[in-house]
């Protein structure tokens, strides 16, 4: 039988079949993924093959195969450890919720998040939330940012989760897909999810999540079916992306507008810093690409501000 993992506790997995039945499953044998030192072989979102086994009067599924992942997100299981924990797999869409204030989302954060989503190969969408609370000046800043990111190719939507404004546009993007919601604490993730699916009743408080983070407990994601043919993956205590290790040389590939220019640089290993005849620097001088994006890129390449600090995303 085939199914998708909806929940995992470390040793037990809840698997849903295409017919809609849920099975408690365990793993048979060892699963070693190529190149991944992971504490958990199977994660939420994984597509697995299992068979029903009976021990005494106990019936449960035994997973013996896992299908290739389209993508997956990881975090280090413990600070500084090389072991990783796979948070979730096969994610179609990640929404980054952004607010101008309460809390302020800096463009450097947005850019690191987007670069990470490119590295993970997950499509990212920007949701500018709380537009009901902005004055004219703030609204024009939102419009400016949305235009900036749309030009690069990212879908941007201004919404008010609280008032339900433009939430139907978010729903439309989610149809038939598995999505995740990320963003700083307080941007309105729980509020939006409650509006999308009132029956989920996610708490708007973050206390339990903070508690979990403080203890460095391994937390597990969970997948939920929504009533309108969409699924969301919730990641308690992480609320975001985790981190992905990037080599200096590849960071530019995760900034689509820089990647596009790269072949026109004189040196094919150009880092777009101080090299001569750099197409990125020329495009900057002509205002063809954004300075704030370039600044974020340079910060990531030069390792300023402790870029890969654990929990950088989703705090
Ligand atoms: N004005 C306004 N406030 C919002 C909006 N969405 C959420 N909030 C408020 O922002 C605070 C944090 O929301 P919450 O959903 O808990 O954020 P989370 O930490 O991302 O889950 C709460 O007080 C919400 O009522 C919105 O669209 N407009
Ligand atoms: Mg929340
Ligand atoms: Zn260059």
């Amino acid at each position: 039988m085939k199914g998708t993992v909806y929940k995992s506790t470390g040793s037990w997995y809840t698997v849903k079949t295409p017919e809609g039945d849920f099975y408690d499953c365990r793993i048979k044998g060892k699963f070693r993924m190529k190149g991944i030192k992971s504490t958990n072989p199977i994660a939420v979102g994984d597509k697995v093959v299992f068979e029903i086994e009976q021990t005494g009067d106990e019936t449960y599924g035994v997973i013996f195969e896992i299908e290739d992942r389209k993508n997956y997100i990881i975090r280090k299981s413990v600070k500084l450890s090389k072991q990783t924990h796979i948070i979730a797999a096969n994610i179609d869409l990640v929404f980054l919720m952004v607010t101008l204030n309460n809390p302020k989302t800096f463009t450097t954060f947005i850019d690191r998040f987007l670069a990470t989503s490119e590295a993970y190969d997950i499509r990212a969408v920007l949701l500018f939330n709380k537009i009901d609370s902005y004055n004219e000046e703030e609204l024009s800043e939102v419009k400016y940012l949305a235009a900036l990111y749309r030009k690069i190719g990212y879908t941007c939507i201004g919404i008010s989760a609280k008032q339900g404004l433009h939430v139907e546009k978010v729903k439309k993007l989610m149809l038939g897909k598995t999505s995740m919601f990320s963003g700083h604490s307080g941007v309105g993730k729980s509020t939006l999810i409650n509006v999308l699916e009132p029956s989920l009743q996610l708490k708007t408080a973050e206390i339990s999540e903070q508690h979990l983070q403080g203890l460095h407990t391994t937390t597990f994601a969970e997948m939920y079916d929504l009533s309108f043919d969409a699924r969301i993956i919730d990641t308690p205590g992480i609320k975001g992306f985790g981190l992905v290790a990037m080599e200096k040389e590849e960071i530019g590939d995760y900034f689509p507008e820089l990647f596009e220019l790269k072949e026109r640089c004189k040196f094919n290993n150009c880092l777009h810093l101080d090299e001569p005849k750099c197409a990125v620097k020329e495009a900057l001088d002509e205002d063809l690409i954004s300075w704030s994006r370039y600044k974020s890129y340079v910060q990531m390449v030069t390792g300023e501000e402790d870029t890969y600090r654990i929990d950088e995303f989703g705090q």
Side-chain angles (χ1 to χ4, degrees):
M1 293 166 71
K2 283 189 174 188
T4 305
V5 177
Y6 269 60
K7 192 181 173 177
S8 98
T9 58
S11 49
W12 285 96
Y13 301 88
T14 308
V15 177
K16 188 188 180 194
T17 64
E19 292 75 36
D21 301 316
F22 286 92
Y23 289 89
D24 285 331
C25 294
R26 321 187 75 143
I27 303 179
K28 187 172 217 163
K30 286 205 176 95
F31 285 86
R32 283 194 198 282
M33 306 294 294
K34 271 176 260 157
I36 308 171
K37 272 191 190 168
S38 167
T39 50
N40 60 325
I42 293 179
V44 164
D46 267 329
K47 296 185 194 322
V48 297
V49 187
F50 67 99
E51 56 193 17
I52 304 294
E53 267 187 24
Q54 193 121 21
T55 314
D57 51 6
E58 226 190 341
T59 306
Y60 54 85
V62 178
I63 298 169
F64 58 91
E65 206 181 307
I66 164 172
E67 287 181 18
D68 285 345
R69 294 178 174 128
K70 163 181 154 172
N71 55 40
Y72 59 88
I73 60 176
I74 56 173
R75 83 176 304 194
K76 284 183 185 166
S77 26
V78 186
K79 248 181 199 165
L80 303 177
S81 131
K82 282 219 169 94
Q83 280 243 318
T84 53
H85 177 78
I86 301 171
I87 300 163
N90 301 318
I91 303 140
D92 297 310
L93 263 184
V94 63
F95 291 95
L96 178 64
M97 286 185 85
V98 169
T99 47
L100 292 188
N101 42 48
N102 301 315
K104 181 167 177 62
T105 309
F106 289 94
T107 52
T108 45
F109 176 80
I110 298 174
D111 296 333
R112 283 174 195 175
F113 184 93
L114 293 175
T116 308
S117 81
E118 296 286 346
Y120 279 139
D121 202 15
I122 303 172
R123 182 184 164 201
V125 169
L126 295 182
L127 299 180
F128 294 91
N129 191 31
K130 308 198 185 182
I131 56 169
D132 61 284
S133 71
Y134 297 146
N135 61 32
E136 236 164 78
E137 199 179 312
E138 289 163 332
L139 278 178
S140 65
E141 196 180 334
V142 168
K143 280 184 187 149
Y144 170 82
L145 285 175
L148 190 165
Y149 287 102
R150 277 191 195 117
K151 192 178 164 203
I152 305 165
Y154 296 106
T155 300
C156 298
I157 309 174
I159 65 166
S160 165
K162 203 171 184 175
Q163 299 188 346
L165 204 64
H166 296 162
V167 167
E168 73 285 353
K169 292 187 186 175
V170 181
K171 268 190 169 176
K172 210 170 152 193
L173 286 175
M174 293 174 72
L175 278 183
K177 296 194 167 75
T178 300
S179 303
M180 280 185 67
F181 290 87
S182 287
H184 291 308
S185 185
V187 293
K189 296 178 296 295
S190 303
T191 306
L192 177 63
I193 290 166
N194 280 336
V195 168
L196 288 166
E197 194 75 36
S199 62
L200 272 183
Q201 292 296 345
L202 295 186
K203 279 183 290 172
T204 41
E206 306 286 342
I207 299 151
S208 60
E209 296 180 3
Q210 279 164 10
H211 179 64
L212 286 171
Q213 271 167 355
L215 291 173
H216 290 292
T217 313
T218 311
T219 47
F220 292 95
E222 185 162 356
M223 183 140 75
Y224 299 94
D225 283 325
L226 305 189
S227 54
F228 55 97
D229 183 27
R231 292 168 301 279
I232 56 167
I233 292 178
D234 189 32
T235 55
I238 305 155
K239 295 191 270 64
F241 246 11
L243 66 169
V244 61
M246 293 181 203
E247 299 295 333
K248 253 189 182 127
E249 293 73 24
E250 66 180 329
I251 295 171
D253 296 351
Y254 304 135
F255 284 69
E257 74 276 42
L258 305 194
F259 180 68
E260 212 175 272
L261 288 168
K262 184 178 161 182
E263 61 175 24
R264 290 205 264 128
C265 294
K266 183 178 179 196
F267 299 107
N268 60 12
N269 60 351
C270 186
L271 286 177
H272 324 306
L273 298 174
D274 297 311
E275 296 91 337
K277 297 216 163 118
C278 167
V280 168
K281 283 304 215 28
E282 284 164 16
L284 267 173
D285 286 340
E286 289 164 37
D287 275 333
L288 296 172
I289 55 175
S290 129
W291 272 100
S292 72
R293 290 275 294 169
Y294 180 70
K295 223 178 75 189
S296 301
Y297 164 78
V298 172
Q299 268 187 15
M300 287 179 72
V301 171
T302 56
E304 271 174 46
E305 282 196 2
D306 200 8
T307 306
Y308 303 119
R309 190 162 54 87
I310 202 156
D311 295 339
E312 180 71 50
F313 296 98
Q315 282 297 292

